Amino acid sequence: MDKEGMKVYPSLNPDFSPSAREKTDNAPISSGVPEIDKMLHGGIEKNTSTIITGPTGSGKTSLGLTFMKEAAGRGERSVVYLLEESPEVLKRRSKTINIPVEEMIENKNLQLITVNRGELTPEIFVHRVKKEVEENDTKLVMIDSVTAFNSLFLDENWNKLDLRKVLDSLRKLLINNNATLLMINEIPNITGDFRVTDDQISYLADNIIILRYIELSGGMQKAIGVLKKRLSSFETKLREFEISKYGLEVGEPMEDLSGILSGNPELTSEGRSNSNKKEG
């Protein structure tokens, strides 16, 4: 019920099949970072769903925004649904790493929408995304984050299985409307045992990009890798990852290290040999 009267939001169960996907445009979308595109063998495909997962502060949102920056360069519209961070903080933070969020908003290539639990239910949220995509021809949608989405709506009326079904409906809806979905997911472990998500949503993703902290030479570094890509092959090695005032910077494959996913990497025999040669 609102000032316009009572509205009914029926459950959305969009049809979707592998044959329907074959008819969609799955051209690769660039991140604007050559090394990341190389890892993804060209980029993430249009009309797919991608989970970007990692611990707090690892650069998940920043990575998602780089795809939107490139989309803006093509004149396409993107939307970020914020469930944790305020638009003002995101604007300031993005400016420091060379992502012109304010300019993208001014040019109507980007919109930041805050999601508040008191204003809607999960089903109303899906309807609003549907309206946004259909009325504004939005090509890229990011949920920041699905972790917060599950926490926000998890109560006596909505369990984790129900919320996964809502996200699945959203995924199918966007693909059917020629839009691409990015889902930011936060995992609690800074280092240690690796897991993709805590909410068993990895099956919803066509692509999974992982960000990790690793302890190396007495300090903390970040690593980036691709864990899954449904429509193409991908680079299986992890790379060093850094966020600077110039944007996202990605190094060469970390071939001399093993145990990176545990957060405690060690030099391989070849890596130790190369290290000894350098010291000699």
Side-chain angles (χ1 to χ4, degrees):
M1 177 76 73
D2 58 23
K3 63 183 180 180
E4 297 178 359
M6 181 176 291
K7 294 182 180 180
V8 177
Y9 295 89
S11 297
L12 293 173
N13 296 295
D15 294 328
F16 184 77
S17 66
S19 60
R21 164 158 279 171
E22 292 175 1
K23 300 176 184 179
T24 62
D25 178 9
N26 294 133
I29 300 174
S30 171
S31 67
V33 182
E35 294 83 1
I36 294 178
D37 289 348
K38 186 175 181 180
M39 297 176 73
L40 292 164
H41 286 195
I44 61 172
E45 288 79 12
K46 291 181 179 179
N47 310 322
T48 59
S49 57
T50 299
I51 290 178
I52 302 175
T53 186
T56 182
S58 57
K60 304 179 296 298
T61 302
S62 299
L63 177 55
L65 287 172
T66 62
F67 287 100
M68 295 184 163
K69 178 182 176 181
E70 288 299 299
R74 298 189 297 271
E76 296 175 354
R77 175 181 168 84
S78 301
V79 170
V80 181
Y81 289 92
L82 294 166
L83 290 100
E84 297 179 273
E85 195 169 32
S86 72
E88 290 71 24
V89 170
L90 183 61
K91 291 175 189 177
R92 290 197 301 269
R93 197 160 58 81
S94 300
K95 188 175 183 179
T96 65
I97 59 173
N98 197 33
I99 299 178
V101 165
E102 290 187 335
E103 181 180 329
M104 292 158 64
I105 293 173
E106 290 174 2
N107 293 334
K108 301 190 183 306
N109 294 128
L110 177 66
Q111 184 174 2
L112 306 179
I113 299 177
T114 301
V115 179
N116 296 313
R117 179 158 183 352
E119 297 177 358
L120 73 174
T121 66
E123 289 178 335
I124 295 176
F125 173 74
V126 174
H127 275 273
R128 290 189 179 179
V129 177
K130 178 177 184 289
K131 181 178 180 181
E132 161 64 37
V133 170
E134 291 178 348
E135 293 185 357
N136 297 309
D137 194 28
T138 299
K139 295 302 183 185
L140 200 54
V141 172
M142 183 162 75
I143 302 176
D144 190 8
S145 66
V146 292
T147 315
F149 178 88
N150 286 331
S151 297
L152 193 68
F153 293 114
L154 191 62
D155 58 23
E156 66 276 7
N157 297 316
W158 293 90
N159 58 41
K160 287 189 176 182
L161 179 59
D162 291 332
L163 292 174
R164 287 199 295 270
K165 289 179 179 178
V166 170
L167 289 173
D168 190 30
S169 295
L170 176 62
R171 175 183 70 94
K172 293 174 181 176
L173 172 77
L174 292 176
I175 292 173
N176 287 344
N177 281 278
N178 298 312
T180 303
L181 174 63
L182 300 176
M183 295 180 280
I184 305 301
N185 179 82
E186 184 163 316
I187 54 177
N189 294 349
I190 299 297
T191 60
D193 293 339
F194 173 74
R195 64 175 64 185
V196 178
T197 74
D198 275 348
D199 296 309
Q200 298 179 328
I201 61 169
S202 57
Y203 75 96
L204 298 176
D206 297 302
N207 316 300
I208 298 177
I209 302 173
I210 59 174
L211 298 173
R212 289 287 285 164
Y213 285 109
I214 60 174
E215 184 181 353
L216 194 62
S217 301
M220 295 293 288
Q221 294 187 18
K222 297 174 184 175
I224 183 172
V226 181
L227 190 65
K228 174 184 177 182
K229 213 157 177 276
R230 185 166 283 158
L231 300 185
S232 78
S233 58
F234 57 91
E235 182 180 285
T236 57
K237 298 184 181 298
L238 282 87
R239 293 175 178 243
E240 189 174 343
F241 179 71
E242 185 180 353
I243 303 175
S244 73
K245 64 180 180 180
Y246 303 108
L248 306 188
E249 299 180 4
V250 178
E252 293 297 318
M254 305 173 80
E255 297 178 335
D256 293 343
L257 296 173
S258 64
I260 295 176
L261 290 182
S262 70
N264 296 291
E266 297 180 353
L267 285 172
T268 62
S269 57
E270 184 177 350
R272 286 193 294 271
S273 176
N274 291 335
S275 178
N276 291 332
K277 289 178 182 178
K278 291 178 181 178
E279 291 177 0

